[in-house]
Amino acid sequence: MKLNTLAVMVASTFCLFTSHRASAESITEIEPNMIHIRQAGDREWSGFSEQADANEFRGRFLLGQTLSGPGVIGFEQQDVKQTWIVSLNGESLGRLARDENAMRVFYEVHPDQLTRGLNELRIYTTSDTPDDIRIGRAVLVNNPQKEYLNQRTLKVQVKEGGQPVPCRLTIINQDGALQTTGLSSSEKYAVRPGVLYVAQGSAEIGLPPGRYTVIASRGPEYEIDQQKVDLRQAFDGELELSLSRVVETSGWLACDTHVHTLTHSGHGDSIEDERILTIAGEGVELPIITEHNKQISYADRQSKLGMSEWYTVVTGNEVTTKWGHFNVWPVQAGGVIPGFKGKDWKQIFKEIEVATPEIIILNHAEDLHSGYRPFGRKNRHRLTGHHLEGWKLEANAMEVVNSGAQQSDLMQLPRDWMVCLNRGQFLTPVGCSDSHDVSRHFVGQGRTYIQGGDDRLGQIDTVAATQSFRDGRVVVSCGLIPMVMIEQKYGPGDLVPKQSKDELTLNLTVNTPDWIECNRYEVYLNGELVLKYSSDEGAIDGLEEVTLNISVPDHDVHIEVAVFGPGVTSLHWPIAKPYQPDHPNWNSQVFGMTGAIWYDGNGDQKRNCAREIAAGIWKTTGEDAQEAIKRLKTYDRAVALQMAELVHESGHSFQTPEFRRFLEEQPKQVERAFVDYWDEWRQSEIARLEMPR
């Protein structure tokens, strides 16, 4: 059905009779199919058709008589990102939930909002940003919303090891969409369509008649339990679900460094009580509360809700400026708030000092906020890490995966981070959720595992955990949790002593629950891919250790392992689409990455970055460009890139015929590094010419 035509649908009406109701419940069909809507522009995602069915939803239906009392309009929505208005006969009923997940939603209707004869349900947006959505399976029910959603009662109890446990319950209807329930958020529940976070592992859930799948989950360390239930005839149902931890993370703390609420940040949808429940329900053990330019503690309210045993809360602050966002912690709740109106990084970091945080994280460095992208080409040479305005990044950590602000290129932020290491900016890599919501971008999906004691979750030694984080003893996770040891002894944050052999033995383990797969890993030295494995036939065995031999040079390098798998599509833990996509194609993936392990290739018991190595060569050759370049034959690409910048900064032209002939005589990796450096520099210059002045 093409909704941009004005054809009138004659609605069908039928009745459902239930033994506990004296009268019939009439249901008027408005639109039985799912309709593709795009209000403007090119398609948002390649999974949609080039041509939409319409630019707005218009469901027209006839009524022989108006409702005798309040009713409800219900329909399914999919892939909603912008603000869409729902109106009935020109009167607003509300807005669609801004959520890409498929969900069945309901809007209460009063008799005076309907007319006898022709009626119109309209869903439209005033945004000019392309947003592909689907709307359909729409009906009008002659029944008040509360009564309609509570016709059946489902009792659910979830335990771990025989004891009730906070968790997430996901309720999916027979059409595969999240099902709105009759429950509302309270001190016991955080509720959104099809999603309930339960404080004590049990819930009584109101539902319309139907068939449902109920999934209990508690983050990526746990196996899920799911059961189907048929409530078409039965008025009540009972389910007992069991969760079991299957991923070994003892000695590691699950930390989310980027957590918000609507209450204190002013956007998103999670109020403080809901956030307290969602943190426990996703198995986050060390949440950092980072409201925008505020320093808030949830500890008192957490205690009143009886959730203190499940995690230790830390007060932080997202210092939100025109020139980037920076999470800082620990800071004092109610203490001095850093200024956030500095004109450059020097002023901003000076303001941050007043709060005396141990940790300063550069957030979502490839996102555009207030017209500024911290690591965009206009501001930074992507291959050397040189800030083109000369600004100094005085942070000690940066986000490499943000599940609430995914990148189209999943490895862009990890590459940025490894370039920072090459330049001597020793930053701890961070995984986080940036969650402002209960269920859209939910807390703890992106997370950082910090090496530290986890035996008393309500009384974590935050001083020790902070130091471990600062030392880089971390693993970044968005579904996958790679554990790596080199020479059976050294892990993230360690310096591996120089070995008598020219290779290192690396042991990799990736444990997963059954609902997450790992089918690829990559090994990096100084940010360069040196080893990879991909299985098209299935996942890497999550219980079997992979042993790899890694060749290493005679100079210092940092070593990282990244692991990947197909994105989770199940609605209990869906991977969100990119926040600011670069193109309409998107490959959903789960991801994990180790912190840096340094190898002391020159044996001086220090971490020598590629920039420092290149600068040493440059100095010892008396800044003789050709002599310095000749010495690069035993060094890797990262060192050659830094040398290219030193040569360029000294005034040498890369474009003279003599210099180009000289480069052609060098080893291919050296020549390629200089060519790539120059190409990237030119792209930055072009981008800067286009900057508004």
Side-chain angles (χ1 to χ4, degrees):
M1 174 183 176
K2 299 291 186 181
L3 292 183
N4 41 13
T5 68
L6 297 180
V8 176
M9 169 187 268
V10 179
S12 62
T13 303
F14 55 95
C15 295
L16 293 178
F17 292 92
T18 60
S19 60
H20 72 301
R21 289 176 54 82
S23 61
E25 176 185 84
S26 65
I27 299 180
T28 301
E29 187 174 78
I30 299 173
E31 173 53 64
N33 302 309
M34 296 300 294
I35 308 301
H36 173 201
I37 310 294
R38 184 191 307 125
Q39 85 286 19
D42 297 329
R43 60 180 174 175
E44 182 186 16
W45 304 109
S46 57
F48 284 87
S49 300
E50 290 278 5
Q51 181 64 45
D53 295 325
N55 59 12
E56 62 179 42
F57 180 92
R58 287 179 179 267
R60 295 184 168 187
F61 57 99
L62 293 171
L63 287 179
Q65 61 184 27
T66 59
L67 303 182
S68 58
V72 62
I73 283 180
F75 53 82
E76 184 176 327
Q77 65 166 66
Q78 299 173 6
D79 259 288
V80 176
K81 189 172 183 179
Q82 303 303 322
T83 299
W84 291 77
I85 300 166
V86 181
S87 71
L88 178 63
N89 294 330
E91 184 175 343
S92 176
L93 297 180
R95 298 177 177 181
L96 296 182
R98 294 183 69 177
D99 196 316
E100 289 87 349
N101 296 307
M103 57 179 59
R104 188 153 190 83
V105 294
F106 297 88
Y107 297 82
E108 186 130 294
V109 178
H110 297 282
D112 58 4
Q113 293 175 298
L114 291 161
T115 62
R116 184 175 179 178
L118 181 64
N119 295 265
E120 181 181 71
L121 174 66
R122 182 184 177 210
I123 301 173
Y124 65 97
T125 181
T126 58
S127 170
D128 57 5
T129 302
D131 192 13
D132 282 296
I133 72 171
R134 293 188 180 94
I135 300 290
R137 302 189 179 110
V139 296
L140 168 67
V141 183
N142 185 15
N143 200 346
Q145 181 170 327
K146 185 174 181 180
E147 188 174 334
Y148 175 72
L149 293 178
N150 286 283
Q151 293 179 70
R152 304 289 189 262
T153 300
L154 177 63
K155 296 180 180 180
V156 182
Q157 189 170 68
V158 183
K159 295 182 179 180
E160 178 189 1
Q163 298 298 316
V165 62
C167 65
R168 168 175 167 150
L169 292 174
T170 304
I171 300 175
I172 302 171
N173 64 25
Q174 64 191 40
D175 293 319
L178 295 168
Q179 174 66 45
T180 297
T181 71
L183 269 180
S184 298
S185 291
S186 66
E187 293 186 350
K188 295 171 59 179
Y189 308 123
V191 181
R192 291 297 180 274
V195 176
L196 293 79
Y197 285 93
V198 296
Q200 304 300 330
S202 61
E204 292 191 11
I205 307 165
L207 288 164
R211 291 177 294 175
Y212 303 100
T213 300
V214 181
I215 305 173
S217 62
R218 198 164 189 268
E221 300 175 39
Y222 285 79
E223 194 58 80
I224 63 173
D225 194 2
Q226 61 181 321
Q227 293 186 34
K228 296 183 182 297
V229 60
D230 191 337
L231 297 180
R232 289 174 297 178
Q233 302 300 325
F235 299 133
D236 298 295
E238 293 189 13
L239 296 179
E240 290 189 4
L241 301 173
S242 178
L243 292 174
S244 57
R245 187 191 296 265
V246 295
V247 178
E248 177 56 48
T249 59
S250 59
W252 294 83
L253 297 164
C255 175
D256 189 342
T257 64
H258 201 157
V259 178
H260 294 280
T261 62
L262 170 64
T263 305
H264 302 293
S265 284
H267 60 114
D269 68 23
S270 178
I271 64 172
E272 186 174 307
D273 280 8
E274 292 175 321
R275 175 59 70 227
I276 289 167
L277 301 186
T278 60
I279 290 169
E282 290 293 343
V284 176
E285 298 159 345
L286 190 68
I288 315 299
I289 309 308
T290 54
E291 307 290 8
H292 294 284
N293 300 318
K294 294 181 181 179
Q295 293 168 190
I296 305 295
S297 174
Y298 300 170
D300 288 345
R301 191 61 186 163
Q302 180 191 7
S303 177
K304 289 178 182 178
L305 294 180
M307 305 304 290
S308 295
E309 68 177 290
W310 297 104
Y311 56 88
T312 298
V313 70
V314 176
T315 297
N317 178 350
E318 183 168 16
V319 182
T320 307
T321 81
K322 182 180 178 181
W323 309 110
H325 297 186
F326 304 90
N327 278 352
V328 301
W329 54 276
V331 293
Q332 185 67 41
V336 178
I337 305 294
F340 52 89
K341 296 183 179 180
K343 66 179 182 180
D344 56 27
W345 282 359
K346 184 177 181 179
Q347 287 189 3
I348 290 166
F349 289 121
K350 186 174 182 179
E351 291 283 359
I352 286 174
E353 286 179 6
V354 304
T356 64
E358 290 290 319
I359 305 300
I360 304 174
I361 303 172
L362 172 61
N363 296 344
H364 38 67
E366 292 285 354
D367 285 353
L368 185 68
H369 292 287
S370 302
Y372 184 76
R373 193 186 311 272
F375 279 6
R377 275 203 170 99
K378 295 179 181 180
N379 304 306
R380 178 178 182 266
H381 193 292
R382 289 186 182 274
L383 300 182
T384 67
H386 172 57
H387 195 286
L388 302 176
E389 295 289 342
W391 293 5
K392 182 180 179 182
L393 179 61
E394 297 181 46
N396 51 21
M398 71 166 282
E399 293 177 357
V400 301
V401 62
N402 180 318
S403 58
Q406 289 270 28
Q407 298 291 306
S408 294
D409 179 357
L410 182 61
M411 283 301 293
Q412 182 60 61
L413 284 169
R415 285 195 300 269
D416 288 341
W417 165 63
M418 290 185 286
V419 167
C420 286
L421 298 183
N422 289 339
R423 196 167 186 84
Q425 299 168 325
F426 299 139
L427 306 175
T428 296
V430 174
C432 67
S433 70
D434 198 359
S435 176
H436 295 72
D437 311 307
V438 169
S439 63
R440 182 192 183 197
H441 298 136
F442 53 90
V443 72
Q445 184 172 48
R447 56 179 67 188
T448 305
Y449 284 89
I450 306 172
Q451 194 169 12
D454 60 349
D455 52 337
R456 301 178 69 186
L457 296 180
Q459 300 179 39
I460 291 170
D461 184 342
T462 57
V463 173
T466 302
Q467 186 60 53
S468 188
F469 179 95
R470 188 166 185 168
D471 291 341
R473 302 185 186 282
V474 300
V475 171
V476 168
S477 175
C478 186
L480 297 176
I481 310 169
M483 293 297 177
V484 167
M485 293 295 289
I486 289 180
E487 300 298 319
Q488 300 292 330
K489 185 177 181 179
Y490 304 100
D494 288 337
L495 177 64
V496 181
K498 183 174 178 60
Q499 305 291 299
S500 58
K501 54 185 179 177
D502 60 1
E503 64 179 23
L504 299 175
T505 301
L506 184 151
N507 297 103
L508 166 66
T509 303
V510 188
N511 291 330
T512 66
D514 286 345
W515 53 275
I516 298 179
E517 292 185 359
C518 176
N519 62 7
R520 180 161 60 100
Y521 61 75
E522 297 178 347
V523 181
Y524 290 84
L525 266 63
N526 273 3
E528 295 300 315
L529 179 62
V530 297
L531 184 64
K532 63 180 179 179
Y533 171 84
S534 179
S535 172
D536 295 329
E537 298 178 357
I540 299 168
D541 189 341
L543 301 177
E544 183 177 347
E545 190 176 79
V546 178
T547 300
L548 307 171
N549 292 318
I550 309 298
S551 297
V552 288
D554 289 331
H555 62 80
D556 291 10
V557 291
H558 52 88
I559 305 167
E560 296 84 22
V561 179
V563 293
F564 310 83
V568 177
T569 56
S570 171
L571 291 174
H572 80 277
W573 211 84
I575 299 290
K577 292 175 180 174
Y579 168 61
Q580 294 180 350
D582 298 326
H583 48 71
N585 300 318
W586 179 60
N587 178 27
S588 175
Q589 299 177 80
V590 289
F591 173 75
M593 192 168 192
T594 66
I597 307 171
W598 285 81
Y599 173 62
D600 185 17
N602 66 1
D604 68 354
Q605 300 180 12
K606 296 187 223 177
R607 294 172 173 85
N608 298 297
C609 70
R611 178 73 174 189
E612 186 177 357
I613 294 168
I617 298 170
W618 184 242
K619 183 178 180 180
T620 58
T621 59
E623 300 186 2
D624 182 319
Q626 291 199 9
E627 182 59 31
I629 293 169
K630 287 177 182 178
R631 295 194 186 185
L632 293 176
K633 62 182 179 181
T634 61
Y635 292 88
D636 66 13
R637 170 181 164 84
V639 175
L641 285 167
Q642 296 295 333
M643 183 65 75
E645 184 169 272
L646 290 169
V647 171
H648 186 214
E649 289 174 344
S650 71
H652 283 79
S653 172
F654 286 19
Q655 297 305 301
T656 65
E658 294 79 13
F659 191 81
R660 281 153 56 183
R661 282 196 298 270
F662 170 74
L663 278 181
E664 290 171 358
E665 296 169 356
Q666 306 311 306
K668 284 297 179 185
Q669 73 272 15
V670 175
E671 179 191 9
R672 188 73 254 168
F674 273 72
V675 171
D676 290 347
Y677 166 83
W678 182 255
D679 286 346
E680 181 62 33
W681 178 82
R682 290 182 67 255
Q683 289 188 60
S684 286
E685 288 298 297
I686 292 169
R688 289 169 67 77
L689 287 172
E690 298 170 352
M691 288 176 68
R693 298 295 180 181

